[in-house]
Amino acid sequence: MQLVALSAFVDNYIWMLHDGARAVVVDPGEAAPVQFALDELALTLVGILVTHHHEDHIGGIDELRDRLHGPIWGPRRESIPPPYTPLDDADHIEALGLDFEVIDVPGHTAGHIAFYAAQAPDAPILFCGDTLFSCGCGRLFEGTAAQMHASLARLAALPGSTRVCCAHEYTLANLRFALAVEPGNTDLQDYAARCRDLRARGEATLPSSIALERRTNPFLRWAEPVVACSARGHGAASDDPVAVFAALRAWKNGFG
Ligand code: ZN
Ligand code: FE
């Protein structure tokens, strides 16, 4: 089983999982990168997974339908191009023989879902759309800080080995913010150096892992005294996890 990040637009990734013959893709915001990969690797597209309704995640769906031999799965509570199979929290789907659990992760959008394959070969896989980014998280377009905090807490509780497949290459910009929050975090400093090398070579920084995110992502580290202290310096009224998270999110929105 191969996990591939197809580049789309400026900084999107369309994740593709394939077994050498069949493929599924996640959030095809445009069709061309998927069509190119299917042709190049001689793969049959057997499913499309959709995390949320934003155009940069659904824009290629209709163009891919005539090559698709299988379902389109997406969030029940959002409007994505019909027809598709609507999913709720705790639903399970099977794609490429793998079981994926649906996890409700509202916050970036109201009905955002993530897909988690606990039994994937090598290590679990998480497709988390625009909820969790490496060293960052999605903006709160439709949900509250409390919702997003709860969503991120669910993802942070997954096994540390879980491969985190985010929908955007935002890692370097996120690292600059993370280092402002926690300048003394040596895991963060090491990770930043590694990511700068990867990007200088034109390579993806993803997938990340849940273990790495727990050590480096300020939006999962609301319980760390240093993080809470930084958040208090930027508007958090207390060390309450949601207050810390909300202050970090607001600070990041205006961060150069
Ligand atoms: Zn989005
Ligand atoms: Fe997006």
Side-chain angles (χ1 to χ4, degrees):
M1 197 79 73
Q2 298 281 320
L3 180 63
V4 187
L6 307 176
S7 290
F9 305 114
V10 176
D11 53 26
N12 282 67
Y13 290 128
I14 300 169
W15 289 94
M16 172 182 269
L17 197 58
H18 74 83
D19 62 7
R22 300 170 308 149
V24 296
V25 293
V26 185
D27 289 353
E30 56 180 347
V34 177
Q35 289 161 335
F36 183 84
L38 293 173
D39 290 340
E40 188 171 64
L41 302 168
L43 301 169
T44 304
L45 183 63
V46 296
I48 296 177
L49 283 62
V50 180
T51 64
H52 69 294
H53 69 85
H54 284 160
E55 185 63 21
D56 65 313
H57 298 249
I58 66 170
I61 290 176
D62 282 334
E63 220 180 314
L64 289 171
R65 276 184 208 274
D66 58 347
R67 310 193 53 152
L68 175 62
H69 302 274
I72 298 170
W73 292 283
R76 181 184 300 281
R77 294 181 295 121
E78 302 206 342
S79 118
I80 72 164
Y84 74 101
T85 304
L87 300 173
D88 295 300
D89 190 50
D91 280 350
H92 285 258
I93 63 167
E94 195 196 304
L96 295 178
L98 279 183
D99 176 82
F100 285 86
E101 182 185 348
V102 175
I103 305 176
D104 255 349
V105 285
H108 177 67
T109 60
H112 199 305
I113 58 174
F115 296 88
Y116 173 62
Q119 305 299 334
D122 305 326
I125 296 174
L126 174 69
F127 295 121
C128 51
D130 288 355
T131 296
L132 176 61
F133 295 125
S134 188
C135 282
C137 73
R139 285 175 187 259
L140 305 181
F141 287 122
E142 298 171 11
T144 65
Q147 282 177 321
M148 188 60 141
H149 171 267
S151 296
L152 292 171
R154 285 188 76 178
L155 300 184
L158 294 173
S161 61
T162 302
R163 287 171 281 178
V164 178
C165 302
C166 322
H168 290 272
E169 178 63 67
Y170 289 160
T171 312
L172 287 187
N174 289 341
L175 278 161
R176 282 192 288 278
F177 176 73
L179 283 163
V181 177
E182 273 189 290
N185 180 335
T186 54
D187 287 326
L188 200 45
Q189 294 160 2
D190 294 347
Y191 185 44
R194 232 159 64 222
C195 288
R196 280 193 287 267
D197 284 351
L198 285 168
R199 295 308 291 153
R201 294 200 300 271
E203 291 175 34
T205 61
L206 304 169
S208 173
S209 73
I210 289 292
L212 178 61
E213 294 307 314
R214 283 191 211 124
R215 292 200 306 271
T216 58
N217 191 327
F219 296 100
L220 303 183
R221 293 171 60 76
W222 47 75
E224 291 296 319
V226 173
V227 173
C229 180
S230 282
R232 289 186 82 130
H234 286 80
S238 73
D239 287 352
D240 168 70
V242 175
V244 170
F245 173 79
L248 292 175
R249 188 56 265 179
W251 177 11
K252 172 80 163 48
N253 290 346
F255 189 78

